[in-house]
Amino acid sequence: MTKKESEPTYEEMIAELREIAKKLDDPNTPIEEAVNLHQRGMALIQKCETFLQKAELTITEVPQPSE
């Protein structure tokens, strides 16, 4: 299994969150679907936050060139 199949990229997660937001804004979205979309969105937000925290740690751990 490739990485893409097992874990979406940050950009893919953000794109999915945008789609979820559009569907949640649509008054024709059934309540059951809206609840499921909300739960999926919250899970994606958590994954994005984790990704950003790891990225921040990676950036701060990069050795600075000596001058």
Side-chain angles (χ1 to χ4, degrees), residues 11-58:
E11 291 78 10
E12 290 169 337
M13 290 187 287
I14 293 297
E16 186 176 351
L17 280 168
R18 287 184 178 137
E19 288 301 312
I20 288 171
K22 286 179 190 175
K23 290 179 184 176
L24 289 173
D25 283 341
D26 183 352
N28 296 320
T29 300
I31 189 72
E32 296 85 10
E33 183 180 353
V35 169
N36 290 333
L37 288 168
H38 179 267
Q39 290 173 339
R40 174 67 180 150
M42 294 304 291
L44 284 169
I45 289 169
Q46 181 62 42
K47 285 184 178 185
C48 287
E49 288 176 350
T50 300
F51 174 87
L52 291 174
Q53 288 170 351
K54 288 179 183 177
E56 182 179 18
L57 285 174
T58 300

